[in-house]
Amino acid sequence: MRLRAAVIVHYHEVSLKGGNRPLFLRRLVQNLERATSDLGRVRAQQLTGRIALDLEDHPRPEAVLGRVTRVCGVASAALAYRVPSTLEAMKAVVRRVVEGRSFPSFRISARRAFKTYPMTSVELNRALGALVVEATGARVDLHAPALTVHVEVLPAETFVYLDRVAGPGGLPVGASGTVTALLSGGIDSPVAAWRMMKRGCRVVFVHFHSVPYLPATSQDKARALVGRLTEWQYRSQLLLTPLGEIQREVVLSVPPPARVVVYRRMMVRIAEALARQTGGQALVTGESLGQVASQTLANIARTDEVAETMPILRPLIGMDKLEITAEAQRLGTFEISIEPDADCCSLFVPRHPATRISPEEIVAIEAGLDVPRLVALGVDGAKLESFEFPLR
Ligand code: ATP
Ligand code: MG
């Protein structure tokens, strides 16, 4: 018997979407095809409660599986064989799957996606289990089997597979709208941006640099980070935005302890204007409460006050540095973030930033600045770069 291979994709949150489910599913299907588009032709099919990617004659099934398990919205995926939903066909494929493997114990995990199939899951488990015992001599162990054979019975066909690989979960990128992430070269903001992708957002990146007052290394880092994160959203935009001149003017009139908060407020004003031009509906930062002096509740409030129409989302607000670092390592952004660079925040930054500034104080401090002109300086100086997955 010639076996047809497929990747079977399971989702979780998308299935909770009620009336919007078709929309989310269509997006997930598009993203699955986009994520695998350079590996050879892969056709995604929506089936009852799951998606199948047909791999008939595909040269690189493992590579397809690797890509699929990085698509947001995917709870898990597996390389499967697809056969007609007859007991004979199921037996033949289960036999093929276990042949040549040695394992002391196993179980069959049959699931019926439609309950009118003439055999119950328990009956299927028994019939297919008996065959495996006979073919291999392994014993059945329902609790801690060395091998699990998954059998998913759909109306027209059945999928049989061994190992499930976990995906990121969440929602497909593009289903929740567009956000604008403030991307430094640090560890936190790339993780924050990824968290929003996992919630279904397309992320546009804004990076502030201090060229010509500092070298351009921070821009290369931002590019490398965006390149890495593009693996999850397939195309990205990065706005490289000048802050150096603004910082120079801030230094002339703002006392040292307040500078960090003023820089942050300028970044938010500029990012919000850029977001309006590029479809962003919210801003995203990598702040985590109390991590550094600029991230106290008071300073966060001072930052929020300057965003006019957009919420500032802080997906890492309740995470500690170890948790954030572990996630950065999983994403592959960590090794880029720890490269030394010339971060704009290292320019003209006081040793002891204020942790509490009142709304009245900050307004008085900024009275010496021509804020609209400085915002325009940043917005007009922003340079757009585009990224496509896979990177060339
Ligand atoms: P990160 O690890 O993301 O750099 P951090 O712990 O260094 O964060 P801060 O320097 O206080 O914290 O920055 C807080 C947030 O402000 C960052 O997470 C990022 O969203 C934004 N930000 C800081 N510097 C820049 C920059 N040069 N360009 C764009 N956004 C920035
Ligand atoms: Mg930083």
Side-chain angles (χ1 to χ4, degrees):
M1 182 176 67
R2 202 166 150 269
L3 292 179
R4 287 177 67 200
V7 169
I8 183 104
V9 178
H10 294 105
Y11 41 82
H12 172 64
E13 265 201 68
V14 171
S15 59
L16 309 175
K17 286 289 159 234
N20 282 330
R21 189 165 47 203
L23 228 82
F24 280 79
L25 275 176
R26 216 170 309 136
R27 177 65 71 166
L28 182 55
V29 164
Q30 272 172 18
N31 290 355
L32 287 166
E33 289 183 342
R34 179 69 179 80
T36 53
S37 56
D38 61 311
L39 298 175
R41 216 181 81 90
V42 174
R43 203 169 40 87
Q45 270 174 292
Q46 282 184 44
L47 305 169
T48 324
R50 63 268 287 145
I51 295 168
L53 303 186
D54 198 84
L55 295 181
E56 182 110 64
D57 301 324
H58 197 285
R60 300 176 61 195
E62 295 285 347
V64 172
L65 180 66
R67 293 286 179 80
V68 164
T69 50
R70 288 172 150 232
V71 174
C72 294
V74 171
S76 70
L79 267 181
Y81 290 116
R82 57 200 308 177
V83 292
S85 290
T86 64
L87 187 60
E88 288 67 50
M90 289 181 210
K91 280 184 170 170
V93 73
V94 167
R95 191 189 295 277
R96 271 283 284 277
V97 164
V98 298
E99 252 170 18
R101 286 177 177 261
S102 101
F103 46 94
S105 62
F106 76 100
R107 78 181 185 128
I108 306 281
S109 168
R111 278 203 287 174
R112 298 172 309 159
F114 75 120
K115 303 299 176 198
T116 52
Y117 189 76
M119 291 174 79
T120 66
S121 304
V122 175
E123 287 166 343
L124 281 170
N125 286 341
R126 288 222 182 93
L128 298 171
L131 170 127
V132 175
V133 171
E134 188 198 294
T136 66
R139 75 191 149 76
V140 174
D141 181 341
L142 298 184
H143 302 292
L147 187 83
T148 299
V149 183
H150 297 271
V151 179
E152 288 185 22
V153 186
L154 277 65
E157 55 186 344
T158 292
F159 292 82
V160 176
Y161 58 89
L162 295 179
D163 302 309
R164 251 187 234 180
V165 184
L171 297 169
V173 168
S176 308
T178 300
V179 295
T180 300
L182 284 77
L183 183 79
S184 68
I187 295 168
D188 305 333
S189 44
V191 176
W194 184 80
R195 284 271 168 138
M196 296 315 300
M197 291 179 191
K198 188 177 152 174
R199 295 315 302 155
C201 294
R202 176 167 297 289
V203 177
V204 173
F205 298 92
V206 175
H207 172 72
F208 293 95
H209 61 81
S210 303
V211 174
Y213 302 95
L214 288 176
T217 46
S218 80
Q219 300 184 36
D220 292 334
K221 223 169 151 181
R223 287 187 187 104
L225 288 168
V226 172
R228 185 60 51 89
L229 291 169
T230 300
E231 291 175 21
W232 280 273
Q233 65 172 3
Y234 323 117
R235 59 193 159 79
S236 301
Q237 294 185 314
L238 167 63
L239 289 149
L240 295 166
T241 308
L243 194 74
E245 179 57 26
I246 295 167
Q247 289 176 288
R248 210 183 54 81
E249 294 200 23
V250 166
V251 166
L252 296 178
S253 74
V254 173
R259 283 178 195 164
V260 174
V261 175
V262 173
Y263 295 156
R264 202 67 78 229
R265 283 160 65 97
M266 292 309 300
M267 285 185 189
V268 163
R269 291 178 175 116
I270 295 165
E272 189 179 25
L274 290 171
R276 267 190 219 107
Q277 296 177 359
T278 50
Q281 297 163 277
L283 303 181
V284 180
T285 74
E287 288 160 303
S288 143
L289 186 62
Q291 196 191 84
V292 291
S294 58
Q295 297 173 14
T296 59
L297 285 177
N299 284 346
I300 286 174
R302 296 302 79 76
T303 315
D304 275 350
E305 280 157 12
V306 297
E308 285 172 7
T309 59
M310 291 185 200
I312 302 180
L313 306 177
R314 298 179 171 88
L316 311 187
I317 198 71
M319 288 174 77
D320 70 34
K321 196 74 186 182
L322 289 176
E323 293 169 319
I324 298 169
T325 301
E327 189 142 302
Q329 272 160 339
R330 278 198 298 279
L331 296 175
T333 55
F334 181 77
E335 73 245 28
I336 303 171
S337 293
I338 58 175
E339 288 281 314
D341 72 342
D343 180 38
C344 72
C345 292
S346 62
L347 184 65
F348 314 131
V349 163
R351 211 162 313 146
H352 300 292
T355 52
R356 296 173 62 123
I357 303 180
S358 72
E360 297 74 25
E361 280 168 328
I362 199 76
V363 168
I365 287 168
E366 285 184 344
L369 296 170
D370 183 351
V371 170
R373 185 178 57 79
L374 293 180
V375 170
L377 214 57
V379 172
D380 298 343
K383 297 253 180 312
L384 178 75
E385 294 189 3
S386 297
F387 296 71
E388 289 276 334
F389 179 77
L391 300 180
R392 268 170 279 277

